[in-house]
Amino acid sequence: MEKDILSQKLKNYRNRTGLTQEQFASQIGITRSAYAYYEIGKTKPKLSILKKIAQFYDLSVDDFLEDNNDVYDLAQREPELVPEWDIDDTFNQLTNFEKSVICKVRKMSMHEKEALSRYLNK
């Protein structure tokens, strides 16, 4: 199974700390096996767990999701947490699909955004 970007980042950050999977999992309050599944890409952490991981490294959740297509999946699994992201209140009135589109656009490269803009302005 090919690792996705999120699982690679999780492993790389943990390795930089010198912690074992068990030690790190304990730091964020989950089991070693749950964390191991995140690193091998078998499962993805809920947004609430990803927030704990980001906080441990003094990073934002966006740092883990950058160049990653997991935003839609996270919004679908935990829609009640999406409003906690740094987005103004009108975002809360959107459907999950609309939220996922906005989040994906935020993750696009400048080149991809320009191409999308040209497409939408046809």
Side-chain angles (χ1 to χ4, degrees), residues 28-88:
I28 60 170
I30 62 173
T31 65
R32 186 211 56 82
S33 60
Y35 183 77
Y37 280 0
Y38 303 156
E39 280 195 7
I40 62 173
K42 186 170 183 177
T43 61
K44 302 209 181 313
K46 289 184 174 185
L47 185 54
S48 57
I49 298 298
L50 194 54
K51 284 181 174 184
K52 288 181 181 182
I53 294 169
Q55 183 178 23
F56 180 87
Y57 294 120
D58 197 26
L59 299 169
S60 74
V61 170
D62 284 348
D63 292 321
F64 287 95
L65 298 179
E66 188 176 320
D67 300 322
N68 200 350
N69 292 322
D70 295 327
V71 175
Y72 177 78
D73 184 49
L74 287 169
Q76 291 298 315
R77 287 189 288 137
E78 294 185 271
E80 72 280 2
L81 294 179
V82 174
E84 291 180 19
W85 294 6
D86 295 323
I87 300 169
D88 74 27

